[in-house]
Amino acid sequence: MAKEKTVSAVPQHVAIIMDGNGRWAQKHHLPRLSGHEAGRKSVKQVVQAAIHHGVRYLTLYAFSVENWQRPREEVQGLMGLLRGVIREELNEMGKEGIRLRTIGRKQDLPDAVREELEAAIERTKENQRLDLILALSYGSRAEITEAMQAIGREVKDGKLDPDKIREETVSAHLYTHGIPDPDFLIRTSGEMRISNFMLWQISYAEIYVTPVLWPDFGKEEFAKALEDYAGRERRFGGI
Ligand code: FPP
């Protein structure tokens, strides 16, 4: 097998909207949940590829606040899958130096999933090779609204002067506080949408949309995306 290529300008933080599991399942005449199970394999490949290329933070949009509206069996299936992945991959995360983190409304998750997650977050908190951030019950508008509420409370309690509210103040109240903003946003399965994902944090991110469905997105596709990123000139509003 050909040696995996490494690229020069590697984004520090890659965020991915993993889309197309349902369409992949339909294409293969399988139930939707089989699409999510196939998507799990892509997650594993992309995590390994991110480590290989030296990406430091990887955020995966695994479940949105809107996803609770899906049929009960699909939601339950996804929650079961998530719990299984955390349990089965915990040792591997330790070996690979992966720190598991989450962003989103963790309180919405079923107790069993939340407990499994919290244990894994605690067990991996000293790891420093890759921060794997799962967006779970995540919605960017909900995140910004919660930040506004927290800032409002601090103002009301006299702990914060409204004139001293800076962009950094807002960032510090988001789920992602302490995590650098994504440099690169990947969306699979061709949809030209942001879908309420990290609206504040992706202000200057480079965007890459591929028609490849998430279950078909493996390490080669990830390397291709990184190569595309490396060829871009980032100006952050300058010239
Ligand atoms: C979007 O495809 C995908 C999801 C809503 C779930 C993502 C979950 C996984 C990849 C499973 C395992 C993940 C982790 C992190 C353990 P879709 O169902 O919206 O696809 P469609 O638009 O084609 O219907």
Side-chain angles (χ1 to χ4, degrees):
M1 215 172 75
K3 198 170 175 288
E4 265 182 81
K5 250 200 323 205
T6 26
V7 292
S8 45
V10 176
Q12 183 186 25
H13 185 170
V14 178
I16 308 183
I17 303 176
M18 310 181 288
D19 195 16
N21 293 351
R23 271 160 285 174
W24 183 93
Q26 200 175 22
K27 204 172 116 187
H28 292 84
H29 311 286
L30 292 166
R32 287 182 62 81
L33 203 56
S34 305
H36 297 313
E37 273 157 14
R40 174 183 168 169
K41 295 198 190 88
S42 297
V43 169
K44 197 164 169 132
Q45 279 210 20
V46 167
V47 167
Q48 284 166 349
I51 293 174
H52 170 80
H53 290 286
V55 170
R56 183 62 187 80
Y57 299 87
L58 178 67
T59 300
L60 302 177
Y61 203 2
F63 197 88
S64 71
V65 271
E66 291 82 15
N67 285 155
W68 293 112
Q69 292 158 23
R70 292 194 175 192
R72 206 163 65 104
E73 316 82 76
E74 186 175 346
V75 171
Q76 281 179 349
L78 272 168
M79 290 297 139
L81 192 63
L82 181 64
R83 195 170 166 217
V85 171
I86 298 160
R87 194 181 310 150
E88 287 154 32
E89 300 293 338
L90 188 57
N91 280 338
E92 194 66 19
M93 286 193 257
K95 274 192 240 156
E96 296 281 359
I98 298 169
R99 175 180 180 187
L100 185 70
R101 307 173 76 161
T102 59
I103 53 172
R105 297 176 46 85
K106 215 163 35 177
Q107 67 272 29
D108 293 347
L109 300 171
D111 290 346
V113 177
R114 206 182 51 244
E115 283 159 18
E116 199 86 41
L117 259 177
E118 276 164 0
I121 290 167
E122 183 60 29
R123 281 263 305 267
T124 61
K125 70 176 184 204
E126 307 293 347
N127 296 343
Q128 289 182 12
R129 202 147 160 227
L130 175 80
D131 281 29
L132 174 60
I133 304 149
L134 299 183
L136 294 168
S137 194
Y138 177 85
S140 191
R141 287 185 170 190
E143 175 183 37
I144 294 169
T145 306
E146 283 178 32
M148 294 307 133
Q149 289 169 344
I151 290 172
R153 277 192 297 272
E154 285 173 36
V155 169
K156 183 165 158 252
D157 295 346
K159 290 181 191 148
L160 183 64
D161 173 356
D163 292 330
K164 298 255 166 67
I165 297 173
R166 306 276 178 258
E167 290 185 6
E168 293 73 29
T169 322
V170 178
S171 293
H173 287 81
L174 297 175
Y175 303 138
T176 46
H177 58 90
I179 298 171
D181 289 340
D183 310 285
F184 195 34
L185 173 70
I186 298 175
R187 180 169 188 143
T188 59
S189 98
E191 241 54 84
M192 297 291 179
R193 286 195 286 271
I194 297 296
S195 304
N196 200 17
F197 187 53
M198 303 186 102
L199 299 177
W200 174 277
Q201 297 90 336
I202 60 164
S203 294
Y204 295 101
E206 293 293 325
I207 301 179
Y208 178 89
V209 179
T210 168
V212 175
L213 304 174
W214 178 252
D216 294 327
F217 191 92
K219 56 179 190 296
E220 288 86 10
E221 289 296 331
F222 187 73
K224 217 162 96 182
L226 290 191
E227 256 178 70
D228 191 284
Y229 175 88
R232 298 190 192 188
E233 192 190 341
R234 300 184 76 197
R235 291 200 295 266
F236 299 95
I239 51 165

